[in-house]
Amino acid sequence: ALVTSGTATLECLFHKVPHVVIYRTSWLNFQIGKRLIKTPYIGMSNIVSQHLVASEYVQDQINPSLIAQELISLLE
């Protein structure tokens, strides 16, 4: 599944659905958020698990071809 950061990632984790997390917000909100929130992950499934269970693509890392490759590898 391709999901945005939030509760949907927890649903994927609960139902054992492989997923990729994407998140994009305004530049200003992102700059403020990364200074206020000190966690290595942005996806709730990763935060709750305390390790990387789903790849994360944030802000400028979002690249459709990379994400497509990631999703194809999950399907295989």
Side-chain angles (χ1 to χ4, degrees):
L2 179 61
V3 294
T4 58
S5 180
T7 310
T9 63
L10 289 177
E11 292 176 29
C12 287
L13 182 66
F14 179 76
H15 293 289
K16 298 180 181 168
V17 174
H19 57 288
V20 174
V21 179
I22 60 169
Y23 185 77
R24 181 175 287 195
T25 188
S26 71
W27 179 85
L28 182 58
N29 283 344
F30 183 71
Q31 295 302 317
I32 293 169
K34 75 178 186 178
R35 285 167 175 73
L36 293 176
I37 300 169
K38 301 296 181 193
T39 178
Y41 308 113
I42 199 155
M44 291 299 293
S45 57
N46 293 331
I47 293 169
V48 168
S49 299
Q50 297 183 346
H51 67 279
L52 192 67
V53 296
S55 297
E56 297 183 342
Y57 293 89
V58 182
Q59 293 298 99
D60 295 331
Q61 297 173 336
I62 297 173
N63 178 316
S65 61
L66 289 176
I67 294 169
Q69 289 174 354
E70 183 84 31
L71 291 170
I72 289 169
S73 71
L74 289 176
L75 290 172
E76 295 172 341

